[in-house]
Amino acid sequence: MSRQSLAKAHQKIQELSWEPQYHEPYMKYGTDYTFRKAAKKDPLKQVLRSYFPMQEEKDNRVYGASDGAIRGNMFRQVQERWLEWQKLFLSIIPLPEISAARSMPMLFQAVPNPELHNGQAIQMIDEVRHSTIQQNLKRLYMNNYIDPAGFNNTLRNFHSDYCGTIGRQFAEGFITGDAITAASIYLTIVAETAFTNTLFVAMPGEAAANGDYLLPTVFHSVQSDESRHISNGYATLLMALSDEDNRQLLERDLRYAWWNNHRVVDAAIGTFIEYGTKDRRKDRESYAEMWRRWIYDDYYRAYLLPLEKYGLVIPHDLIEESWNQIWNKGYVHEVAQFFATGWVANYWRIDSMTDEDFEWFEYKYPGWYDRYGKWWENYNRLSRPNGHHAIVAEDVDYVYPHRCWTCMVPCLVREDMVVDKVDGQWRTYCHEACRWTDAVAFRPTYEGRDTPNMGKLVGHREWETLYHGWNWADVIQDMGFVRDDGKTLTAQPHLDLDPKKMWTLDHMRRMPHVASPNVILNEMSDSEREAFVADYNAQGPAGRPAGSTS
Amino acid sequence: MTTTENSARSVPKPTFTDAEAGAKEFPDSGPSARRYNYYKPAKRKQTHYEDVTVEVQPDPRHYLTQGWIYGFADGSRGYPLDWTKLKAWGVDNPEPERGPGSGGKPVQDWPAHGWHEFRDPNEEWELTMFRYNANVERQIGQNVENARNAKAFDQWTQNWVRFVERHVGAWMHIEHIFGLYIFAACNRSGPTNMHNTAMAVNSEHKIRFAQDLALYNLTLTEEIEGFDGAAHLDAWNNDAEWQGVRKVAEALTAVDDDWGEMIFGTNIVFEPLLGELFRSNLVQQAAPGNGDYVTPTVMGAGEYDFAQRDLRWTQACMGLLTQDKEFADHNKQIMQGWLSHWVPQCLDAARQLQPLWSQPDAKPPRFEDSLDRAKNRFAGILSDLGLDAPKELSQ
C-alpha cells in the first residue's frame, strides 16, 4: 500500500463507519446518560497499518531491555524492600488493565458515534497488551529475584487477599453498572487521566531509584498508550456535556470516581513510593509533592478546571479534601502503618523503617516522628519471632480499625469515620464521601431521578467477616500464603531470609482469634454503637486509642 | 581541558544487594518455586501463553473469596456464566457459599468447571499479536508498493476495475462490523480470560483487514484513473447483491444476549458459507484471469486470519463444548438450533451474491461449484465438531 499521509488514511477509514440498515446491534450494557448523535471526531486518529508496527517496535525495546537486565545482573542491585511491594502491585494491575479492554464495547453501545468506536477498539488492543506484558514482567521477577514466594502464587493471592479486593475496585468499577459511569467517567476521565500519572510515571521513577529499571521500561511503554486513552475519555465527556440532562449524572459520577480513586490509588501507590523505597535523598519528591504536581496541578488545574465553562460541575471540595487527607491527616502513612500491622494476612515481606527513613519522613512531613515513629520502632522490635506475637496481636497503642464498606480501605483517619444502616446492615465508612457513594450514588434513584442502570456495591466487602472466629494459622493456610516447606509464612515483617528468623504457622497458632469488626458492630445495641462511634472518632493519629497521651 | 562536575547533582546511588535468584537457600528458594502454581496447565508443561492469561480474570468458584464487588442493576456480577446458552461441566454446581466464619473456600480441584479448560491454540498474547499483525501489514505494504512501481494496475480490465471498486470494496464493511460489533463486543462477555483474549485478538484481525481493504481502495483511487473510491459505499448501501449479506451480518450483531451464538454464527456458519465463498471462491479465483495479482495478496491475508487462526480458536472453544463430559448433548442441541437458524439465512444471502460471478471478463469457477466447495468445507467443520449438517444445507 502506498504511503498515504496519516490524515488521508484516517479520513479513508471513516468510510467504514456503520449505520445499521436492517438490524440494530444488541444493547447489552445500559446507561442513564443520553447522547445525541454528533459528528465528534475520532481523537486517536490511529490506523492499524502504522499502529501494529509501532507497538511491535515498542515491544522490541521492552523485551530487549528485559534481556539486558538479566544479562546485566540487575537483581544484584535491586532493593528487596522495593520488589516485595511489587508482589502486591503486580498481582493487582493485570486485572484492571484487561478490565479496561473489556469495558470498551460497553462504550460502543452507549456512545452513538461510530467514529469514536475506532479509538475505543484501539484502546481495547492496548489494554490486552498491558495486561499480558505486566503478567510477563511479574514472571520475570519470579524467575530472577531472590524470593519468588508471593510472585509464584500471585493471582490466587490477589483474588483472596483483602488488599487485592481493594485493588479490584480499580477493575470491576470499569466494567460493571452504568456503562458511562464505569467505562468513561471512572476509567478514562479519572483513573486514566488523573491517577495513571502516579501509577505509571511516578512509581517507575521510584523503581529506577531502587535498582529496578524493568518496571520503568514496561510501565513507561504502557503509559505511552495511556496518553491516547485520555483523548478517548475527553471526546466522550464533551459529547456527554452537550446534553443538559447528563450534567447531574456527571456531577455524581465525578464525585464518586474522584473520591474512590483517591482512596484506592493514593493508599496503594502512596505506600509503595514512600515506604517501599530506599532512596532517602532529601531532594527527591515525596508522594505528596508528586501528587501536588501530577494530580492537583496537571489534572485538576490544567484538565478539569477548563471544563467548568462547558457546564461540568467539578468536585472542588473533594479534591481539596483529598489533599487535606494526604497532607494534614497522614492518609498514606496511616495506610502504610495498617499494611504493616496486618503483614500476617498478606503475601509479601514488609521491611522495617530505619533511622535514615525516620529522618527523611520528618524532613518531608514535619511531625511524622511524633505520630508514627514510636509505632515503627515497635514494628522493628517485634519483627523477628522471639516469644511474642506478631504486632497485630501485641499492645503497641494501636486499635485495629474497622473497614470502610465502600472503598474497603480501613477507616484510618479515625475522626472521619461515620456509620450508617444501609440495606439493613450497620456499616462503617472511612469518610462521608464513601457513605454517600454507597447510600446515595449507587442506587436506582438519585436526587429524585430514576437511575435504573446504576450499579450496586455487592460482595463480602469486609474481609475479616469470612474469618470471624478463626485461628490465624488456619486463616493463612486457607488463603495459601505459606511457603513450600508447608509452615513458613510467605509474608514476613522483615527482609531476613534466614529460616530461623522467619515466622511460621506455629507462631500464628498461639495468637488470639480473628474477629470481624463489622460482625461485632452489628451485635451492638444502639447505645453501645453510639459509644463505639464516639470512642472511634476520638482515636488516632496512628491508630492510638482515644485519650492516649503517648 | 578538564571536566567539571555539577556538585548539586543528586542521583540515587546503586547499591549491591545480591537479591538475585539462588543467592540464598530458604523455603521457596528452589527452582520448583519459580513457576505460577495456581492453575493446572493444559499439557504437561505450562506455556508462556498460559502464564500471562490464565486466572487473570477471577472466578468466585476459584479464589475470589470475597466475591465480585460490583453488580449490574439486575444483580448480575462479574462475568456471568449464563451470558450464553452453552454450558460447560460443573457450571450447575452451586458457587461456594461464603459468609461470617465460612473461610475463603478456595477451589480444591482446579478447575472448578469446564470453561477454564479452553486454551487458544494460537496462544495469542501481546507479543504474538503485534508480531503477527505487524508482519502482515509489512507484507501487504510491500506487495502493493511493488505492484504500484511495476504499474501492475494498468493490466486490469475495466470490468475488473469496476468489480474491485464496488465488490472487493464492499467486503470491508463486513470485516469492520464483525471486528467491532461481534468480536470486540463479545470480549466483555466470555467466561474466562482465555476466551475474551481470543475474541479481542480475533477482533484485531477483522478491524485490521477492514482497514487494509479501505487503504488498498485508497491506493487504487490514486493509481487507477477513473477508479471510484466511493463506489463501495454505493454497493454496500444499495446493490441488491449485497443486501442479503449485509442483513445476515447485521443480524449477527443483534443476537439476543448470547456471546456463544454470536461467535458460532459468525465463525462457524457465516465465515465458511459467505466469507470464504466470496474471498476464496470468487475474488481469489477471478483475479488472476483478470490480470490482477495484487488483490489476492490483500484478500489472502484476511483469509489466512480466518482459516488458520480465527477458525482454529473457535473450533477449539466449541469443540470442547460438543465433547463436554456433562453437557455435550445440551450444547449440540443448542448449536444444531443455531445452525437451523443461520444456515438458511447465509445460503439465501449467498444466492443473492450470485450475479457477481458473471461480472468479471475472465470468469471464475461457476457459482454453484463455488458454493458446493464452501458447503463441503462447512460440512467438514461441522463434522469435526461432531455436529450434523442441517437439512437446509442440501437445499
Side-chain angles (χ1 to χ4, degrees):
Chain A
M1 216 155 295
S2 66
R3 300 282 96 184
Q4 293 111 353
S5 74
L6 182 62
K8 215 168 166 183
H10 187 263
Q11 185 60 37
K12 180 68 183 178
I13 65 168
Q14 298 318 313
E15 292 174 9
L16 291 165
S17 292
W18 171 45
E19 292 294 339
Q21 197 155 301
Y22 301 100
H23 300 279
E24 293 284 340
Y26 177 69
M27 299 293 282
K28 187 165 180 60
Y29 308 104
T31 181
D32 298 322
Y33 283 78
T34 49
F35 289 91
R36 291 192 208 97
K37 290 198 175 183
K40 196 91 204 100
K41 295 293 181 198
D42 169 14
L44 265 63
K45 296 212 183 312
Q46 281 285 346
V47 178
L48 293 182
R49 186 179 68 188
S50 55
Y51 168 81
F52 282 124
M54 172 184 77
Q55 297 298 78
E56 186 194 36
E57 171 62 22
K58 282 159 67 174
D59 266 6
N60 288 341
R61 295 176 189 198
V62 167
Y63 290 97
S66 302
D67 284 353
I70 295 163
R71 289 176 194 158
N73 299 317
M74 183 190 89
F75 291 89
R76 289 181 192 170
Q77 295 175 27
V78 163
Q79 291 292 348
E80 290 182 57
R81 175 189 280 183
W82 174 259
L83 221 63
E84 287 297 320
W85 283 103
Q86 293 311 309
K87 292 177 178 174
L88 171 60
F89 176 62
L90 285 174
S91 71
I92 297 174
I93 196 70
L95 180 67
E97 296 284 12
I98 208 67
S99 302
R102 310 297 182 235
S103 76
M104 288 300 111
M106 299 172 74
L107 293 177
F108 295 173
Q109 295 179 356
V111 185
N113 183 334
E115 204 168 321
L116 291 190
H117 301 170
N118 283 321
Q120 290 152 358
I122 298 275
Q123 178 165 352
M124 176 195 73
I125 304 171
D126 283 345
E127 307 290 8
V128 174
R129 171 176 194 249
H130 300 171
S131 178
T132 51
I133 208 171
Q134 290 160 4
Q135 272 290 109
N136 186 64
L137 173 66
K138 182 168 52 180
R139 187 174 182 266
L140 191 147
Y141 286 156
M142 174 180 70
N143 282 324
N144 296 283
Y145 170 62
I146 189 167
D147 182 12
F151 284 129
N152 54 14
N153 48 0
T154 175
L155 291 178
R156 174 180 177 175
N157 300 343
F158 165 51
H159 298 167
S160 58
D161 178 75
Y162 78 81
C163 299
T165 309
I166 295 169
R168 209 147 34 85
Q169 294 168 94
F170 208 67
E172 288 187 46
F174 304 163
I175 59 167
T176 319
D178 186 300
I180 294 298
T181 306
S184 185
I185 309 302
Y186 188 81
L187 170 59
T188 55
I189 302 298
V190 179
E192 292 191 301
T193 308
F195 286 88
T196 56
N197 280 329
T198 57
L199 271 170
F200 297 160
V201 182
M203 206 176 73
E206 209 49 47
N210 284 278
D212 173 10
Y213 54 83
L214 278 180
L215 193 92
T217 300
V218 171
F219 279 84
H220 284 169
S221 191
V222 166
Q223 184 67 6
S224 68
D225 297 329
E226 297 295 343
S227 52
R228 285 201 297 269
H229 307 167
I230 291 166
S231 313
N232 267 344
Y234 192 72
T236 306
L237 180 61
L238 290 185
M239 276 189 75
L241 275 169
S242 68
D243 191 329
E244 289 271 354
D245 287 348
N246 292 330
R247 294 189 181 176
Q248 186 184 20
L249 299 180
L250 279 170
E251 182 182 1
R252 177 198 67 184
D253 289 347
L254 259 185
R255 292 186 74 78
Y256 144 65
W258 169 270
W259 186 254
N260 188 268
N261 270 269
H262 151 65
R263 272 342 221 185
V264 174
V265 179
D266 288 336
I269 308 302
T271 299
F272 303 158
I273 286 180
E274 301 296 53
Y275 288 83
T277 187
K278 290 290 279 186
D279 182 15
R280 295 305 184 192
R281 287 171 299 133
K282 298 273 174 56
D283 55 355
R284 84 113 167 130
E285 280 186 329
S286 67
Y287 186 73
E289 289 166 318
M290 291 176 193
W291 196 96
R292 194 73 190 177
R293 181 154 68 101
W294 293 110
I295 295 181
Y296 193 90
D297 290 341
D298 281 8
Y299 175 74
Y300 171 48
R301 295 176 63 84
Y303 174 89
L304 270 189
L305 276 181
L307 287 167
E308 221 165 20
K309 64 175 179 284
Y310 297 108
L312 188 68
V313 179
I314 295 169
H316 301 287
D317 57 328
L318 291 184
I319 293 167
E320 296 298 344
E321 175 59 12
S322 303
W323 174 247
N324 184 37
Q325 292 278 322
I326 290 171
W327 187 243
N328 295 316
K329 297 195 173 183
Y331 183 65
V332 170
H333 307 300
E334 299 278 343
V335 171
Q337 184 191 16
F338 177 75
F339 276 137
T341 294
W343 69 263
V344 292
N346 295 327
Y347 46 94
W348 61 94
R349 298 177 291 143
I350 299 177
D351 194 13
S352 306
M353 294 295 111
T354 65
D355 288 348
E356 190 186 0
D357 299 314
F358 288 179
E359 192 184 332
W360 185 88
F361 278 118
E362 190 59 31
Y363 178 77
K364 288 293 184 180
Y365 299 96
W368 181 92
Y369 184 82
D370 281 348
R371 288 179 165 193
Y372 305 103
K374 182 81 177 161
W375 187 90
W376 279 102
E377 284 165 1
N378 277 322
Y379 181 83
N380 195 23
R381 177 176 61 81
L382 298 166
S383 63
R384 271 74 169 171
N386 188 20
H388 53 76
H389 295 313
I391 192 168
V392 68
E394 289 287 338
D395 181 6
V396 286
D397 253 2
Y398 187 82
V399 182
Y400 192 84
H402 280 240
R403 230 163 250 281
C404 175
W405 190 261
T406 298
C407 73
M408 294 177 286
V409 179
C411 308
L412 297 169
V413 179
R414 313 280 168 139
E415 69 206 58
D416 292 338
M417 190 275 286
V418 291
V419 299
D420 197 358
K421 191 169 192 179
V422 178
D423 297 332
Q425 179 187 25
W426 284 103
R427 298 172 176 175
T428 45
Y429 299 93
C430 66
H431 191 277
E432 167 55 25
C434 270
R435 189 203 66 81
W436 169 87
T437 299
D438 182 28
V440 179
F442 273 77
R443 298 285 147 182
T445 56
Y446 177 68
E447 295 181 344
R449 165 187 188 152
D450 285 342
T451 50
N453 288 294
M454 192 60 177
K456 296 175 174 174
L457 303 184
V458 297
H460 303 291
R461 302 180 74 87
E462 194 212 38
W463 170 81
E464 290 87 346
T465 303
L466 301 179
Y467 293 105
H468 184 60
W470 279 48
N471 181 279
W472 270 106
D474 297 330
V475 173
I476 292 165
Q477 212 156 15
D478 191 61
M479 291 193 295
F481 301 167
V482 184
R483 290 168 185 260
D484 61 6
D485 63 352
K487 63 172 188 174
T488 306
L489 306 192
T490 303
Q492 298 291 329
H494 57 75
L495 299 178
D496 191 341
L497 286 166
D498 178 351
K500 291 198 267 316
K501 307 281 175 54
M502 296 170 85
W503 293 75
T504 68
L505 289 174
D506 293 339
H507 299 117
M508 298 295 109
R509 184 117 3 236
R510 300 176 205 137
M511 297 211 309
H513 284 38
V514 176
S516 153
N518 186 261
V519 168
I520 294 167
L521 177 72
N522 278 277
E523 289 169 352
M524 291 178 187
S525 66
D526 288 349
S527 59
E528 286 170 334
R529 193 173 50 257
E530 280 166 24
F532 152 77
V533 172
D535 180 76
Y536 199 98
N537 287 155
Q539 292 168 15
R544 286 175 194 144
S548 169
T549 52
S550 56
Chain B
M1 188 174 159
T2 57
T3 308
T4 53
E5 277 189 20
N6 181 355
S7 58
R9 187 165 158 74
S10 168
V11 290
K13 306 281 186 299
T15 314
F16 179 73
T17 59
D18 202 14
E20 66 181 352
K24 287 180 186 150
E25 279 187 29
F26 53 90
D28 258 348
S29 62
S32 63
R34 297 186 186 278
R35 62 171 194 86
Y36 288 155
N37 59 19
Y38 45 84
Y39 73 92
K40 285 183 191 157
K43 296 177 183 169
R44 192 178 60 80
K45 193 168 182 290
Q46 58 203 87
T47 64
H48 205 149
Y49 153 74
E50 287 177 308
D51 274 356
V52 296
T53 53
V54 177
E55 287 283 9
V56 170
Q57 181 175 311
D59 185 336
R61 292 160 197 256
H62 281 176
Y63 309 117
L64 201 63
T65 55
Q66 291 181 252
W68 297 107
I69 51 176
Y70 279 80
F72 285 101
D74 68 358
S76 55
R77 306 169 180 193
Y79 293 86
L81 301 179
D82 60 2
W83 279 1
T84 175
K85 293 177 201 65
L86 299 171
K87 292 169 93 168
W89 63 263
V91 296
D92 284 348
N93 297 338
E95 261 183 38
E97 275 195 30
R98 302 177 175 106
S102 68
K105 297 194 170 178
V107 63
Q108 297 302 311
D109 189 16
W110 199 98
H113 56 78
W115 286 114
H116 289 280
E117 290 182 336
F118 170 68
R119 301 287 187 277
D120 175 3
N122 303 312
E123 304 202 334
E124 294 277 21
W125 60 293
E126 69 104 20
L127 195 65
T128 61
M129 74 193 193
F130 289 123
R131 278 183 185 165
Y132 173 75
N133 286 295
N135 278 338
V136 171
E137 292 293 35
R138 268 191 294 272
Q139 190 63 58
I140 290 177
Q142 287 162 2
N143 292 347
V144 174
E145 186 66 9
N146 178 56
R148 207 172 61 84
N149 291 336
K151 304 285 178 205
F153 306 118
D154 293 352
Q155 299 168 35
W156 292 14
T157 65
Q158 274 306 304
N159 263 348
W160 185 250
V161 170
R162 299 285 86 80
F163 183 91
V164 172
E165 73 182 9
R166 292 193 81 76
H167 304 308
V168 172
W171 192 259
M172 70 174 82
H173 300 285
I174 304 284
E175 298 292 333
H176 179 74
I177 289 173
F178 286 173
L180 284 176
Y181 305 104
I182 298 279
F183 293 103
C186 286
N187 108 106
R188 167 68 184 90
S189 303
T192 75
N193 193 40
M194 293 80 81
H195 291 88
N196 289 327
T197 300
M199 290 190 240
V201 172
N202 198 147
S203 161
E204 292 169 27
H205 294 157
K206 292 287 174 196
I207 301 169
R208 193 214 71 232
F209 184 32
Q211 293 191 5
D212 288 345
L213 289 172
L215 298 179
Y216 180 51
N217 183 285
L218 179 59
T219 298
L220 297 178
T221 310
E222 292 167 348
E223 294 297 320
I224 301 174
E225 203 177 327
F227 188 94
D228 180 357
H232 68 96
L233 287 167
D234 185 45
W236 172 242
N237 288 325
N238 302 312
D239 281 8
E241 294 91 331
W242 282 104
Q243 300 317 300
V245 181
R246 178 168 185 167
K247 206 169 179 176
V248 189
E250 291 189 354
L252 282 164
T253 71
V255 164
D256 190 15
D257 198 15
D258 193 322
W259 68 267
E261 183 176 358
M262 276 191 176
I263 302 298
F264 183 92
T266 305
N267 273 354
I268 300 295
V269 185
F270 183 102
E271 283 288 355
L273 286 180
L274 283 167
E276 291 189 332
L277 174 72
F278 177 77
R279 294 187 304 253
S280 278
N281 295 324
L282 173 57
V283 178
Q284 305 283 67
Q285 302 288 332
N290 287 282
D292 178 5
Y293 63 81
V294 193
T295 304
T297 69
V298 180
M299 207 48 121
E303 197 66 301
Y304 186 89
D305 290 343
F306 171 69
Q308 302 299 323
R309 298 178 93 87
D310 300 338
L311 178 61
R312 203 163 161 236
W313 84 259
T314 311
Q315 280 183 301
C317 170
M318 300 296 168
L320 272 177
L321 299 167
T322 57
Q323 295 165 44
D324 187 90
K325 63 187 179 191
E326 190 179 347
F327 293 113
D329 290 342
H330 165 89
N331 292 330
K332 283 183 188 172
Q333 197 183 350
I334 296 286
M335 289 182 200
Q336 290 295 155
W338 291 342
L339 289 171
S340 297
H341 181 70
W342 292 108
V343 168
Q345 294 182 58
C346 287
L347 290 178
D348 185 48
R351 295 201 182 282
Q352 290 180 52
L353 277 178
Q354 184 169 0
L356 302 190
W357 266 250
S358 54
Q359 289 190 12
D361 293 327
K363 299 287 181 282
R366 290 183 332 120
F367 171 77
E368 289 300 337
D369 294 340
S370 301
L371 185 59
D372 280 348
R373 205 168 148 193
K375 284 179 174 178
N376 286 338
R377 154 96 159 149
F378 173 61
I381 293 168
L382 296 187
S383 169
D384 289 347
L385 288 173
L387 297 171
D388 299 325
K391 63 182 188 319
E392 293 85 352
L393 193 63
S394 55
Q395 289 169 2

